[in-house]
């Protein structure tokens, strides 16, 4: 009741309290998961919020599918860049089409450089190794709670969110 929260960029904040005092509910409200509450909760416009619940659920059949989903928007940018590059090899391309394609490639390249997407595969591999994520072909249905949590945390970190909300990520 009667809380007002705001955070500086890059701040690391812990919410501490007794069991049942509402820590998880507060994080769910901040993440936009919990909708039934009195008051207002709003992130900065355009802010991306990642949330790791106490008991994460994995939506895909394999670990690799879960990880690939986390970086799908980044891969889509790389795929679009490659597709646009292939247009330049078309011998029938007009000068106008070539100029337009080059402009689009420049915009995509800026996005790729800003997000360090040329290194995406290496970053994903490093994240999976660092968090000791099970092999990519492992079935998510048979993972232990700790393994599911590590896969979910890896997904969250690779998602490049502006704010991360972790609900007891190391309680096991």
């Amino acid at each position: 009741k009667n809380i007002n929260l705001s955070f500086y960029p890059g701040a690391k904040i812990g919410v501490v309290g007794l069991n049942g005092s509402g820590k998880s509910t507060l994080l769910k409200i901040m993440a936009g998961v919990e909708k039934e509450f009195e008051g207002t909760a709003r992130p900065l416009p355009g802010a991306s919020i990642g949330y790791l619940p106490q008991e994460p659920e994995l939506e895909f059949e394999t670990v690799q599918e879960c990880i690939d989903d986390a970086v799908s928007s980044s891969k889509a940018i790389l795929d679009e860049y490659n597709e646009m590059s292939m247009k330049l090899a078309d011998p029938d391309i007009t000068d106008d089409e070539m100029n337009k394609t080059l402009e689009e490639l420049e915009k995509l390249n800026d996005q790729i450089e800003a997000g360090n997407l040329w290194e995406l595969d290496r970053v994903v591999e490093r994240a999976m190794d660092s968090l000791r994520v099970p092999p990519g072909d492992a079935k998510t249905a048979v993972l232990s709670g700790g393994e599911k949590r590590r896969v979910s945390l890896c997904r969250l970190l690779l998602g490049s969110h502006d704010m991360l909300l972790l609900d007891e990520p190391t309680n096991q």
Side-chain angles (χ1 to χ4, degrees), residues 95-112:
D95 287 344
D96 286 342
E97 289 173 326
M98 180 174 285
N99 289 333
K100 187 176 178 181
T101 301
L102 288 171
E103 286 176 20
E104 285 295 317
L105 278 172
E106 187 175 345
K107 289 177 190 174
L108 288 170
N109 189 61
D110 290 345
Q111 284 182 290
I112 291 168

Side-chain angles (χ1 to χ4, degrees), residues 28-140:
K28 288 176 185 175
I29 290 169
M30 292 173 64
V33 173
E34 181 69 43
K35 306 283 188 199
E36 298 295 321
F37 62 93
E38 291 182 29
T40 304
R42 64 180 175 272
L44 284 175
S48 172
I49 298 175
Y51 172 64
L52 179 68
Q54 285 184 21
E55 299 298 328
E57 296 291 326
L58 300 175
E59 315 164 359
F60 299 95
E61 187 177 337
T62 66
V63 169
Q64 192 63 54
E65 289 171 325
C66 291
I67 300 301
D68 289 345
D69 180 62
V71 295
S72 62
S73 61
S74 296
K75 285 191 178 200
I77 293 170
L78 290 169
D79 290 345
E80 187 177 355
Y81 182 89
N82 290 331
E83 187 178 306
M84 297 295 278
S85 295
M86 292 303 291
K87 282 186 178 180
L88 294 177
D90 183 357
D92 299 327
I93 193 169
T94 66
D95 287 344
D96 286 342
E97 289 173 326
M98 180 174 285
N99 289 333
K100 187 176 178 181
T101 301
L102 288 171
E103 286 176 20
E104 285 295 317
L105 278 172
E106 187 175 345
K107 289 177 190 174
L108 288 170
N109 189 61
D110 290 345
Q111 284 182 290
I112 291 168
E113 291 292 333
N116 193 28
L117 302 184
W118 295 125
E119 298 292 323
L120 184 62
D121 289 339
R122 189 180 60 79
V123 168
V124 168
E125 183 180 328
R126 232 173 63 199
M128 290 177 73
D129 287 346
S130 296
L131 290 168
R132 296 184 334 240
V133 171
D137 60 352
K139 303 291 185 198
T140 57

